[in-house]
Amino acid sequence: MALQCGIVGLPNVGKSTLFNALTSAKALAANYPFATKEPNLGVITVPDPRLDKLASLVNPQKILPTTIEILDIAGLIKGAAQGEGLGNQFLGNIRTVDAIIHVVRCFVDDNVIHVDGNVDPVRDKEIIDYELLLKDLETVEKRVQKAKKDAKGGDKAAVKALENITALLEHMEAGKPARSFDTQEKEEYITLLKELSLLTAKPILYVCNVDEASVHEGNDMVKALEKAIEGENAELIMVSAAIEADIADMDSKEERDEFLEMMGLEEPGVNLVIQASYKLLNLITYFTVGVKEVRAWTVLKDAPAPKAAAAIHTDFEKGFIRAEVMKYDDFVSLGSESAVREAGKLGVQGKEYKVQDGDIMHFLFNV
């Protein structure tokens, strides 16, 4: 499942530095706008201690974690919606991703220039919001015009469609992103947003790039941004890209662990970004366990068993018969598949079963 998160932000906010730390890629992280002129794509593993625990019990030949893709997109400036800077390229690239990681600068450093002269995370957020909103308004306004034509004859369905799209337009004309449009108990609104594929409807994670001193408690800039995104249905975390860059350059796990302990951190900030991105995409993990490999698989939350099987191979979905399911906690506490079977803890599930995070599964199929 090649789901993508796109890292966005104004120039010089630390997004390419964070991308490098996430992927160990060598995207250019330079102190001037548009250092990243082509999107950089990295495939990153999702850290999951459960995978290591299962491997320690089974001792497989291979251990395969699950992954997501991260796209580092060129910096955006005011006027992008009209093609300023790398605006058209930026907007084209962001349209392809499933979710957005918006890196916002929340530190002051006179040695790192800011494209607008001073650091103001709320203003920086609003610049990108405005440019994305402008493009979305173009899309919605075109749909409104079409809906008006369709509704002229008085067809009830067409009139209702016009009401729905007009409500969305009014919401966005008030400067609000599509993701905050109230879709509760409105299935037609959900369908409408899916059809339009709006930029501001994509789930978003705000990553506050803070200085070393603020990595634990944050600072006034972080608090201001937290207030600014209230009601937006978005997530926010804090990371120091400078610290993450140092960690990425360390050769050994022991060195990294010692550094993390010295900094008072339980794990690298990039782990938080990856885990939050995974959650943002509404994903869960199930496992397959055997002597050849212990592997983590990505599936959408509440996916039925046949769809989960398709992550392994489409034939598994086509010829799905049933799934044998063990719970992670049972497997760990009892120590093996045979012990789980003997304890009567192995469940046999059909096509309607919704896969749960941490399930250990074997699929029976016939094509």
Side-chain angles (χ1 to χ4, degrees):
M1 180 177 290
L3 291 171
Q4 280 188 2
C5 290
I7 297 185
V8 306
L10 293 180
N12 294 346
V13 297
K15 65 185 186 62
S16 291
T17 301
L18 183 62
F19 174 83
N20 288 346
L22 281 166
T23 65
S24 298
K26 297 299 178 185
L28 179 61
N31 185 24
Y32 57 89
F34 314 133
T36 311
K37 292 185 178 179
E38 296 295 334
N40 293 272
L41 180 63
V43 179
I44 59 176
T45 59
V46 178
D48 193 330
R50 295 175 299 181
L51 187 68
D52 297 326
K53 181 62 178 178
L54 291 172
S56 71
L57 294 171
V58 178
N59 192 27
Q61 296 171 19
K62 290 191 294 186
I63 305 171
L64 297 172
T66 190
T67 62
I68 57 175
E69 293 182 351
I70 300 289
L71 187 69
D72 181 24
I73 300 172
L76 171 145
I77 62 171
K78 291 178 184 176
Q82 288 77 41
E84 292 294 324
L86 297 177
N88 290 331
Q89 179 181 329
F90 176 97
L91 294 166
N93 290 330
I94 197 175
R95 196 173 292 281
T96 67
V97 302
D98 301 290
I100 298 169
I101 301 172
H102 185 169
V103 182
V104 185
R105 180 171 168 179
C106 293
F107 68 91
V108 176
D109 185 342
D110 293 337
N111 294 317
V112 181
I113 62 173
H114 190 287
V115 70
D116 284 322
N118 67 307
V119 179
D120 183 341
V122 175
R123 176 206 60 208
D124 292 355
K125 167 200 176 302
E126 289 174 349
I127 287 172
I128 287 186
D129 285 351
Y130 180 71
E131 299 301 331
L132 299 183
L133 196 60
L134 281 181
K135 294 303 290 186
D136 279 352
L137 280 169
E138 290 179 14
T139 302
V140 175
E141 286 166 355
K142 288 178 183 177
R143 177 62 73 90
V144 168
Q145 295 307 312
K146 181 181 182 301
K148 285 180 177 178
K149 291 179 182 178
D150 294 341
K152 279 184 178 179
D155 178 78
K156 288 184 178 180
V159 171
K160 183 61 176 176
L162 177 58
E163 290 176 2
N164 292 341
I165 191 65
T166 300
L168 177 60
L169 178 62
E170 290 173 353
H171 173 85
M172 297 177 69
E173 283 181 334
K176 300 174 182 177
R179 77 178 66 88
S180 65
F181 188 52
D182 187 6
T183 59
Q184 286 190 1
E185 300 180 5
K186 292 276 190 177
E187 188 64 37
E188 64 267 32
Y189 283 176
I190 296 172
T191 301
L192 178 64
L193 289 177
K194 286 180 179 178
E195 289 176 356
L196 292 171
S197 298
L198 300 175
L199 300 172
T200 62
K202 295 179 185 293
I204 190 165
L205 168 68
Y206 290 98
V207 176
C208 296
N209 183 13
V210 299
D211 55 60
E212 182 179 312
S214 305
V215 75
H216 295 289
E217 303 296 332
N219 54 38
D220 290 342
M221 289 178 280
V222 173
K223 292 174 183 175
L225 186 60
E226 286 178 331
K227 186 173 181 180
I229 68 171
E230 287 179 358
E232 193 178 316
N233 192 25
E235 301 289 333
L236 181 147
I237 62 173
M238 294 182 300
V239 169
S240 169
I243 290 177
E244 300 309 311
D246 288 341
I247 294 172
D249 284 340
M250 294 177 183
D251 295 325
S252 68
K253 183 180 183 301
E254 291 74 17
E255 188 180 7
R256 290 192 294 271
D257 289 346
E258 185 178 331
F259 180 76
L260 287 170
E261 184 177 354
M262 182 181 69
M263 299 300 299
L265 299 171
E266 292 184 5
E267 60 182 333
V270 294
N271 284 16
L272 302 178
V273 177
I274 297 167
Q275 291 158 358
S277 300
Y278 201 67
K279 179 182 176 183
L280 194 67
L281 288 166
N282 202 28
L283 303 176
I284 60 171
T285 299
Y286 76 87
F287 303 96
T288 52
V289 174
V291 292
K292 288 188 176 180
E293 67 176 34
V294 169
R295 183 164 183 168
W297 299 90
T298 298
V299 66
L300 287 170
K301 186 179 179 182
D302 292 329
K307 285 292 181 186
I312 300 175
H313 198 286
T314 54
D315 283 350
F316 281 34
E317 180 182 13
K318 292 174 183 176
F320 180 90
I321 298 173
R322 62 182 182 273
E324 295 182 341
V325 183
M326 296 175 282
K327 297 303 178 183
Y328 171 82
D329 288 342
D330 291 337
F331 193 99
V332 170
S333 63
L334 295 170
S336 69
E337 179 178 333
S338 59
V340 172
R341 287 179 181 274
E342 289 173 8
K345 297 282 189 178
L346 186 144
V348 177
Q349 304 291 349
K351 293 181 178 180
E352 302 303 316
Y353 177 72
K354 292 183 178 179
V355 178
Q356 304 297 302
D357 186 53
D359 278 353
I360 300 168
M361 306 186 76
H362 295 310
F363 297 104
L364 283 80
F365 70 102
N366 182 25
V367 178

